[in-house]
């Protein structure tokens, strides 16, 4: 594999690992290939936030610490009294979907909007959804 192709894959892998380390839930759910994009109906949500880490984080009263800044994605970490979460943004929708497909191996629940995803505990994601919009998406784990 060429060095130019290896760097983007390493960046995506690093982002996945960091999200998992934040304590995302590994609930069992439908396989990623059979997920329906239907939004959760638990509570009303505003229209999805724009795809910029700082903008999304500010909607949740957080000033993020940027951890990853790459061509394929940007990731910021929010640490507040409510809990910890990551906000990951992508320059293209297809990069977000590729990232989610890779994350499906580990399972978990994510709050997903156009060109962004938030990783946190499911209960916190439900609260964040009322602030930033998006849909809750459960990914099934295939490891362990």
């Amino acid at each position: 594999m060429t060095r130019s192709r290896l760097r983007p894959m390493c960046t995506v892998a690093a982002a996945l690992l960091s999200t998992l380390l934040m304590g995302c839930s590994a609930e069992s759910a439908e396989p990623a290939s059979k997920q329906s994009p239907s939004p959760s109906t638990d509570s009303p949500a505003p229209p999805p936030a724009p795809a910029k880490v700082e903008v999304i984080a500010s909607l949740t009263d957080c000033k993020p610490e940027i951890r990853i800044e790459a061509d394929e994605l940007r990731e910021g970490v929010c640490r507040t009294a409510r809990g910890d979460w990551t906000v990951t943004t992508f320059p293209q929708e297809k990069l977000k979907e590729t990232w989610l497909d890779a994350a499906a191996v580990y399972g978990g629940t994510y709050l997903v909007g156009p060109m962004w995803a938030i990783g946190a505990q499911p209960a916190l994601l439900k609260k964040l959804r009322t602030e930033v919009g998006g849909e809750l998406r459960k990914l099934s784990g295939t490891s362990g």
Side-chain angles (χ1 to χ4, degrees):
M1 185 171 286
T2 65
R3 190 177 187 125
S4 64
R5 297 198 77 173
L6 185 58
R7 184 172 183 254
M9 290 174 54
C10 289
T11 302
V12 171
L16 283 172
L17 181 58
S18 65
T19 299
L20 292 172
L21 292 175
M22 291 295 296
C24 292
S25 169
E27 298 175 356
S28 56
E30 293 181 53
S33 62
K34 294 185 180 182
Q35 296 174 26
S36 66
S38 60
S40 172
T41 57
D42 291 339
S43 60
K52 184 165 179 167
V53 171
E54 293 82 358
V55 172
I56 295 167
S58 72
L59 293 171
T60 65
D61 293 325
C62 165
K63 184 172 187 322
E65 172 190 329
I66 302 298
R67 270 202 313 208
I68 298 174
E69 185 127 21
D71 293 340
E72 300 81 16
L73 60 88
R74 289 185 76 229
E75 182 177 88
V77 179
C78 287
R79 298 181 196 285
T80 72
R82 295 194 293 172
D84 299 343
W85 63 92
T86 59
V87 178
T88 308
T89 61
F90 308 87
Q92 299 173 1
E93 187 69 14
K94 70 179 181 177
L95 292 172
K96 177 192 79 180
E97 292 302 325
T98 299
W99 184 85
L100 287 167
D101 286 345
V105 172
Y106 303 101
T109 301
Y110 296 86
L111 180 58
V112 180
M115 297 190 292
W116 57 264
I118 296 176
Q121 292 294 326
L124 179 55
L125 291 175
K126 287 179 183 178
K127 293 174 186 173
L128 295 174
R129 182 174 179 265
T130 64
E131 299 166 25
V132 300
E135 68 181 31
L136 293 171
R137 193 180 298 184
K138 291 182 183 180
L139 307 179
S140 66
T142 58
S143 62

